[in-house]
Amino acid sequence: MAVPLFNLAPDLSVSRLCLGTMTFGEQNSMSESFRLLDHAFDAGINFFDSAEMYPVPQRADTQGRSEEHLGRWVRDRKIPRDRVVLATKESSIKFSMKVSGPSGQMTWIRDGPKCLDAWNISEAIDNSLLRLRTDYIDLFQIHWSDRFCIFNRYVPMFGKFEYDPTHQYSAITVEEQLEALGRAVSSGKIRYVGLSNETPYGVMKFLHVAKRVPSYPKVVSVQNCYSLLCRTFDSGMAECCHHERISLLAYSPLAMGILSGRYSEGESRYNLSNSIVTAAVMGYLKIADKYGLCPVALAIAFVLRHPLVASAIFGATKRWQLQEVLDACSVELSPEIVAEINQIHANYPNPCP
């Protein structure tokens, strides 16, 4: 069964599964990356997501390799450019992301830029185009919307729930960012613009500013975490996206592998000694077992049934992991299964934000 498509924007149809590439160049060699990309593409996946900071964990000597592997694959396999949708993200941030949140400086990316201003946006786009070996990027996304840049917008994330006004700094304006993105669209370097790790305020601010100036591009998507263990998107963001016709690109649908029922990288980020996290995971695994489903199928099918989800962004380091996700694409959850899922969520809401 071929992976179905979703109309993300005019003349931009993306597969409902998107292969993330953040392991390419670190956990996966060039040849391994090619094999994964081949298998995904042959199965009907046309949507591939990267970022200038990838692979992770991020290091100066590997930065940009994920984009390079993806670009080399398109070129070496002689795939017509209009048959793939390439998405990438800038990483113009003061801080690098580690297990506990932001820490350290990625000084190897434009000397550790302190803000996401017009110059950094332009440089990020040009450098990604070179690494991807392409003339244009289909979807260019603002990775963290300047929230972790010193002197810029603050937003609590990665397990932080309460907004502290004293942490707010003066930020690069949305106007400056959209003007730079608009120039990139006009010049043909990017086709569409998206946000990532955003809040309802951030989404509405970008939309409000874009409506005032015809040359400013409208945001078409937001790439936020969404899974059985993290449904915070539904608490405000979903309403914004529904009324403004913005689609969710749901990343980490397996909660970094925890929902597969096997040992995963997620165990280093999410505290599985926390009884609430463990109880929630075990609850979902029991539902999958009860109905004869692979845990991966349950998790992916749950995300894809959301009416605002355009595509689920997942990662795989092995072909069999990729195949499990592909198989999940044909699974439909019955009302009984959904009811049991919602009961687990009511008992243990969002234990892995």
mmCIF file of all heavy atoms in Angstrom, residues 231 284 340-350:
data_model
loop_
_atom_site.group_PDB
_atom_site.id
_atom_site.type_symbol
_atom_site.label_atom_id
_atom_site.label_comp_id
_atom_site.label_asym_id
_atom_site.label_seq_id
_atom_site.Cartn_x
_atom_site.Cartn_y
_atom_site.Cartn_z
ATOM 1 N N ARG A 231 0.094 15.462 23.833
ATOM 2 C CA ARG A 231 -1.014 15.990 23.047
ATOM 3 C C ARG A 231 -1.260 17.465 23.366
ATOM 4 O O ARG A 231 -2.365 17.978 23.245
ATOM 5 C CB ARG A 231 -2.276 15.154 23.327
ATOM 6 C CG ARG A 231 -2.138 13.731 22.849
ATOM 7 C CD ARG A 231 -3.173 12.759 23.419
ATOM 8 N NE ARG A 231 -4.527 13.044 22.995
ATOM 9 C CZ ARG A 231 -5.565 12.225 23.230
ATOM 10 N NH1 ARG A 231 -5.362 11.069 23.867
ATOM 11 N NH2 ARG A 231 -6.769 12.558 22.843
ATOM 12 N N TYR A 284 -0.560 2.077 27.009
ATOM 13 C CA TYR A 284 -0.686 2.052 25.552
ATOM 14 C C TYR A 284 -0.175 0.738 24.972
ATOM 15 O O TYR A 284 -0.752 0.205 24.011
ATOM 16 C CB TYR A 284 0.058 3.238 24.945
ATOM 17 C CG TYR A 284 -0.568 4.571 25.294
ATOM 18 C CD1 TYR A 284 0.190 5.583 25.884
ATOM 19 C CD2 TYR A 284 -1.926 4.817 25.067
ATOM 20 C CE1 TYR A 284 -0.385 6.807 26.221
ATOM 21 C CE2 TYR A 284 -2.512 6.022 25.403
ATOM 22 C CZ TYR A 284 -1.736 7.023 25.986
ATOM 23 O OH TYR A 284 -2.313 8.222 26.325
ATOM 24 N N GLU A 340 -10.272 3.706 24.598
ATOM 25 C CA GLU A 340 -9.316 3.225 25.593
ATOM 26 C C GLU A 340 -8.058 4.103 25.630
ATOM 27 O O GLU A 340 -7.490 4.351 26.688
ATOM 28 C CB GLU A 340 -8.953 1.769 25.300
ATOM 29 C CG GLU A 340 -10.129 0.814 25.511
ATOM 30 C CD GLU A 340 -9.720 -0.645 25.471
ATOM 31 O OE1 GLU A 340 -8.565 -0.956 25.866
ATOM 32 O OE2 GLU A 340 -10.546 -1.479 25.055
ATOM 33 N N ILE A 341 -7.646 4.574 24.455
ATOM 34 C CA ILE A 341 -6.517 5.507 24.400
ATOM 35 C C ILE A 341 -6.835 6.776 25.183
ATOM 36 O O ILE A 341 -6.018 7.267 25.971
ATOM 37 C CB ILE A 341 -6.183 5.856 22.927
ATOM 38 C CG1 ILE A 341 -5.488 4.683 22.253
ATOM 39 C CG2 ILE A 341 -5.309 7.118 22.855
ATOM 40 C CD1 ILE A 341 -5.246 4.877 20.773
ATOM 41 N N ASN A 342 -8.029 7.299 24.967
ATOM 42 C CA ASN A 342 -8.418 8.536 25.646
ATOM 43 C C ASN A 342 -8.533 8.355 27.154
ATOM 44 O O ASN A 342 -8.303 9.304 27.914
ATOM 45 C CB ASN A 342 -9.732 9.063 25.066
ATOM 46 C CG ASN A 342 -9.550 9.653 23.683
ATOM 47 O OD1 ASN A 342 -8.453 10.088 23.328
ATOM 48 N ND2 ASN A 342 -10.606 9.679 22.896
ATOM 49 N N GLN A 343 -8.860 7.153 27.595
ATOM 50 C CA GLN A 343 -8.927 6.903 29.031
ATOM 51 C C GLN A 343 -7.536 6.918 29.649
ATOM 52 O O GLN A 343 -7.338 7.481 30.740
ATOM 53 C CB GLN A 343 -9.601 5.559 29.311
ATOM 54 C CG GLN A 343 -9.835 5.288 30.798
ATOM 55 C CD GLN A 343 -10.656 6.378 31.460
ATOM 56 O OE1 GLN A 343 -11.789 6.639 31.060
ATOM 57 N NE2 GLN A 343 -10.095 7.024 32.486
ATOM 58 N N ILE A 344 -6.563 6.337 28.949
ATOM 59 C CA ILE A 344 -5.175 6.396 29.427
ATOM 60 C C ILE A 344 -4.716 7.850 29.487
ATOM 61 O O ILE A 344 -4.077 8.284 30.451
ATOM 62 C CB ILE A 344 -4.243 5.581 28.511
ATOM 63 C CG1 ILE A 344 -4.634 4.098 28.499
ATOM 64 C CG2 ILE A 344 -2.781 5.759 28.948
ATOM 65 C CD1 ILE A 344 -4.431 3.395 29.813
ATOM 66 N N HIS A 345 -5.065 8.604 28.448
ATOM 67 C CA HIS A 345 -4.672 10.021 28.410
ATOM 68 C C HIS A 345 -5.313 10.799 29.552
ATOM 69 O O HIS A 345 -4.679 11.682 30.150
ATOM 70 C CB HIS A 345 -5.078 10.638 27.078
ATOM 71 C CG HIS A 345 -4.818 12.103 26.974
ATOM 72 N ND1 HIS A 345 -3.546 12.647 27.000
ATOM 73 C CD2 HIS A 345 -5.674 13.159 26.876
ATOM 74 C CE1 HIS A 345 -3.631 13.962 26.893
ATOM 75 N NE2 HIS A 345 -4.901 14.305 26.825
ATOM 76 N N ALA A 346 -6.550 10.489 29.878
ATOM 77 C CA ALA A 346 -7.227 11.172 30.988
ATOM 78 C C ALA A 346 -6.554 10.864 32.314
ATOM 79 O O ALA A 346 -6.459 11.717 33.195
ATOM 80 C CB ALA A 346 -8.693 10.763 31.027
ATOM 81 N N ASN A 347 -6.057 9.641 32.436
ATOM 82 C CA ASN A 347 -5.400 9.229 33.678
ATOM 83 C C ASN A 347 -3.977 9.801 33.789
ATOM 84 O O ASN A 347 -3.527 10.151 34.881
ATOM 85 C CB ASN A 347 -5.340 7.712 33.777
ATOM 86 C CG ASN A 347 -6.715 7.074 33.912
ATOM 87 O OD1 ASN A 347 -7.682 7.730 34.331
ATOM 88 N ND2 ASN A 347 -6.830 5.812 33.545
ATOM 89 N N TYR A 348 -3.304 9.864 32.644
ATOM 90 C CA TYR A 348 -1.902 10.323 32.633
ATOM 91 C C TYR A 348 -1.703 11.305 31.478
ATOM 92 O O TYR A 348 -1.090 10.986 30.453
ATOM 93 C CB TYR A 348 -0.950 9.132 32.472
ATOM 94 C CG TYR A 348 -1.255 7.978 33.381
ATOM 95 C CD1 TYR A 348 -1.856 6.806 32.885
ATOM 96 C CD2 TYR A 348 -0.946 8.008 34.742
ATOM 97 C CE1 TYR A 348 -2.143 5.736 33.707
ATOM 98 C CE2 TYR A 348 -1.230 6.951 35.578
ATOM 99 C CZ TYR A 348 -1.827 5.806 35.048
ATOM 100 O OH TYR A 348 -2.108 4.763 35.882
ATOM 101 N N PRO A 349 -2.199 12.529 31.612
ATOM 102 C CA PRO A 349 -2.145 13.470 30.495
ATOM 103 C C PRO A 349 -0.746 14.023 30.223
ATOM 104 O O PRO A 349 -0.078 14.525 31.126
ATOM 105 C CB PRO A 349 -3.096 14.599 30.937
ATOM 106 C CG PRO A 349 -3.063 14.545 32.436
ATOM 107 C CD PRO A 349 -2.906 13.090 32.786
ATOM 108 N N ASN A 350 -0.313 13.894 28.978
ATOM 109 C CA ASN A 350 0.930 14.526 28.496
ATOM 110 C C ASN A 350 2.124 14.322 29.424
ATOM 111 O O ASN A 350 2.758 15.301 29.857
ATOM 112 C CB ASN A 350 0.699 16.022 28.270
ATOM 113 C CG ASN A 350 -0.427 16.306 27.299
ATOM 114 O OD1 ASN A 350 -0.542 15.643 26.272
ATOM 115 N ND2 ASN A 350 -1.273 17.274 27.638
#
